[in-house]
């Protein structure tokens, strides 16, 4: 087989479909977010970032940076091993305590990323619970899907955010069997929010464990940043709450929180935890500082929600089509992969605005979009430039006329 020809042909197919992914070479500058430097073609230019998952700008917060500098000076660069073999630093222990307290759970367990925490925890629970049946929301993240697939457990897909369909499917399984219901709070691409309480009602009725991914909600919702489950007063009803340290908390890593026995079970059996080097101590220290700050400060969350509302109102006034939802994620709908990539390129090249195009397989074909994530640090001027640029591009490529037809 001509391997290189095969690789080249597959990549060429992505180019033809308009969904070849290009890395944008950015240099973030502490104290200037959401403004950054774009390195391109041997030169540089300033850009405003509108698609970062550093939702609250905590990646440059003084308390986070100070904690990371202190830990780096105290402990050095890396953890030095897996958690089982010399790699459990005291900063890891402190961070797990902060996370357990955040979600009012008995314990927490750190992983190297949010993807790994879902893959390892779901894969371990579903594979080792005897004859387990897993019930997964149809829009769950790839990390959840892969974890469930890895487990080889019996899998049932229920309609997105549909407790009644979940109820019907759970009723078809022997009541005595172990069951696990896996879903998210805020879905990252459409920005819609799960009816957590109703799903818990159904799961409890059928004796199922509940596993909630709060990756796009922790830090952003709830009185202390515990996510949608805290905001809605249902965190205590969930068996596992999973989250990330790399989005609103703005550092790196993933975690689960649950009972002490469940966390110990995953710690003891999950290959994705056992056989990987643990997070650098400075990363753990920075994450803990970010969590502590957002537990006590609501200023960032309040400003964030105000900025999101302002962006939505400005886009609506300019007749730029967005997908409505109740979260902080603002999808601008283009619904064509080539156009979506072209608009993203034009925003960057002509207007110094960076918004990554979102194409298949991240979203379904025909729902391509620009995923805009306002932060508390975007100014009125930033918002004005974004809307003016989109209005100019929309008129130039005739999307208004197309929509009218």
């Amino acid at each position: 087989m001509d391997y290189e020809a095969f690789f080249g042909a597959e990549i060429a197919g992505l180019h033809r479909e308009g969904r070849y992914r290009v890395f944008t070479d950015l240099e973030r500058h502490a104290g200037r977010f959401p403004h950054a430097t774009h390195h391109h073609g041997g030169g540089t230019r300033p850009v405003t970032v509108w698609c970062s998952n550093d939702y609250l700008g905590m990646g440059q917060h003084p308390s986070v940076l100070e904690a990371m500098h202190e830990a780096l000076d105290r402990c050095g660069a890396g953890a030095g091993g897996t958690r089982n073999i010399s790699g459990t630093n005291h900063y890891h222990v402190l961070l797990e305590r902060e996370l357990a307290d955040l979600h009012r759970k008995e314990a927490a367990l750190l992983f190297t990323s949010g993807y790994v925490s879902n893959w390892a925890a779901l894969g371990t629970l579903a594979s080792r619970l005897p004859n387990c049946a897993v019930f997964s929301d149809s829009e769950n993240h790839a990390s959840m899907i892969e974890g469930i697939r890895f487990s080889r457990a019996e899998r049932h897909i229920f309609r997105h955010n549909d407790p009644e369909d979940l109820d019907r499917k759970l009723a078809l399984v022997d009541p005595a069997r172990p069951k696990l219901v896996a879903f998210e709070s805020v879905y990252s691409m459409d920005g819609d929010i799960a009816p957590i309480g109703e799903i818990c009602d159904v799961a409890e009725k059928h004796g199922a464990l509940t596993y909630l991914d709060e990756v796009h909600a922790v830090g952003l919702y709830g009185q202390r940043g515990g996510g949608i489950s805290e905001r809605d007063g249902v965190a205590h009803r969930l068996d596992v709450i999973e989250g990330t340290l790399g989005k609103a908390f703005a550092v790196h890593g993933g975690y689960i929180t649950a009972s002490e026995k469940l966390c110990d079970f995953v710690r003891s059996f999950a290959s994705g935890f056992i056989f990987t080097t643990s997070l650098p101590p400075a990363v753990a220290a920075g994450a803990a500082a970010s969590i502590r700050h957002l537990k006590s400060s609501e200023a960032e969350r309040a400003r964030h929600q105000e900025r999101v509302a302002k962006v939505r109102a400005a886009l609506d006034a300019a007749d730029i089509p967005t997908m409505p939802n109740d979260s902080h994620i603002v999808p601008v709908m283009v619904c064509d992969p080539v156009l979506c990539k072209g608009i993203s390129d034009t925003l960057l090249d002509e207007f110094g605005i960076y918004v990554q195009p979102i194409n298949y397989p991240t979203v379904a074909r025909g729902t391509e979009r620009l995923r805009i994530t306002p932060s508390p640090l975007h100014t009125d001027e930033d918002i004005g430039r974004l809307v003016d640029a989109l209005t100019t591009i929309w008129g130039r490529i005739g999307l208004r006329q197309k929509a009218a037809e």
Side-chain angles (χ1 to χ4, degrees):
M1 180 178 184
D2 187 337
Y3 298 105
E4 290 298 307
F6 172 79
F7 300 146
E10 291 294 297
I11 294 299
L14 294 179
H15 280 286
R16 284 194 303 274
E17 294 178 36
R19 59 187 186 95
Y20 178 77
R21 302 184 182 203
V22 177
F23 291 154
T24 301
D25 185 352
L26 297 176
E27 182 180 347
R28 284 161 56 101
H29 301 287
R32 291 177 51 200
F33 181 81
H35 303 287
T37 297
H38 175 216
H39 291 260
H40 67 103
T44 62
R45 61 183 164 204
V47 296
T48 303
V49 179
W50 274 101
C51 56
S52 175
N53 283 339
D54 184 358
Y55 290 132
L56 299 176
M58 290 298 294
Q60 63 184 27
H61 195 280
S63 65
V64 175
L65 301 184
E66 181 181 353
M68 295 186 76
H69 281 296
E70 189 273 339
L72 184 64
D73 291 339
R74 179 187 292 268
C75 298
T82 66
R83 288 292 297 274
N84 288 311
I85 305 176
S86 85
T88 295
N89 190 280
H90 189 54
Y91 286 107
H92 299 127
V93 176
L94 295 176
L95 175 54
E96 286 174 338
R97 290 175 186 169
E98 288 287 349
L99 289 164
D101 174 74
L102 175 67
H103 295 293
R104 307 296 192 192
K105 298 295 183 186
E106 292 178 354
L109 188 65
L110 280 173
F111 294 85
T112 50
S113 73
Y115 190 104
V116 172
S117 58
N118 271 334
W119 176 81
L122 281 169
T124 300
L125 290 168
S127 65
R128 298 196 69 91
L129 285 168
N131 199 25
C132 181
V134 182
F135 296 80
S136 178
D137 187 284
S138 63
E139 297 300 314
N140 274 345
H141 189 265
S143 58
M144 304 175 79
I145 295 168
E146 289 298 326
I148 295 165
R149 181 180 296 146
F150 171 75
S151 75
R152 299 186 179 180
E154 179 182 308
R155 179 179 58 177
H156 303 265
I157 310 299
F158 64 93
R159 283 200 297 267
H160 180 49
N161 282 346
D162 189 338
E164 291 184 1
D165 190 52
L166 173 62
D167 189 25
R168 285 190 292 270
K169 287 181 166 58
L170 278 163
L172 298 174
V173 175
D174 183 346
R177 288 180 63 185
K179 293 172 282 292
L180 175 62
V181 176
F183 62 111
E184 302 181 39
S185 59
V186 177
Y187 287 83
S188 61
M189 290 299 128
D190 288 355
D192 53 334
I193 296 175
I196 300 174
E198 295 175 54
I199 291 174
C200 286
D201 290 341
V202 173
E204 290 164 6
K205 172 184 171 182
H206 294 278
L209 286 173
T210 47
Y211 183 106
L212 178 66
D213 177 319
E214 286 262 36
V215 159
H216 291 274
V218 289
L220 300 170
Y221 300 92
Q223 186 177 357
R224 302 192 314 151
I228 299 295
S229 59
E230 182 192 32
R231 185 197 71 177
D232 293 353
V234 294
H236 64 286
R237 300 179 64 186
L238 293 150
D239 295 293
V240 182
I241 297 177
E242 183 267 352
T244 184
L245 304 168
K247 292 183 170 58
F249 295 132
V251 190
H252 188 74
Y255 65 89
I256 61 168
T257 61
S259 70
E260 191 166 325
K261 286 182 179 177
L262 191 151
C263 286
D264 197 22
F265 175 83
V266 174
R267 180 189 74 85
S268 299
F269 291 105
S271 62
F273 175 85
I274 295 169
F275 297 107
T276 191
T277 301
S278 56
L279 292 171
V283 169
S290 184
I291 294 164
R292 281 194 297 270
H293 176 83
L294 290 173
K295 281 179 181 176
S296 61
S297 173
E298 292 207 39
E300 291 82 4
R301 285 188 285 277
R303 171 72 173 176
H304 183 229
Q305 290 298 316
E306 184 274 330
R307 294 285 86 185
V308 171
K310 191 174 186 69
V311 169
R312 281 195 175 278
L315 291 170
D316 288 344
D319 290 327
I320 302 297
T322 62
M323 178 181 290
N325 61 52
D326 294 323
S327 77
H328 58 284
I329 295 164
V330 184
V332 171
M333 304 307 294
V334 180
C335 303
D336 180 281
V338 176
L339 275 179
C340 197
K341 177 68 166 63
I343 293 170
S344 174
D345 289 345
T346 302
L347 283 170
L348 186 62
D349 296 339
E350 294 187 24
F351 298 94
I353 293 171
Y354 172 48
V355 188
Q356 186 71 14
I358 307 296
N359 294 336
Y360 178 84
T362 305
V363 296
R365 297 181 193 274
T367 69
E368 292 81 9
R369 69 200 62 181
L370 303 171
R371 179 181 179 273
I372 293 173
T373 54
S375 79
L377 301 173
H378 284 99
T379 65
D380 287 351
E381 291 74 20
D382 293 330
I383 296 171
R385 284 194 293 270
L386 172 68
V387 175
D388 287 347
L390 286 171
T391 300
T392 298
I393 296 169
W394 243 248
R396 183 186 302 170
I397 63 180
L399 277 178
R400 292 190 194 288
Q401 293 86 339
K402 185 178 178 182
E405 293 171 2

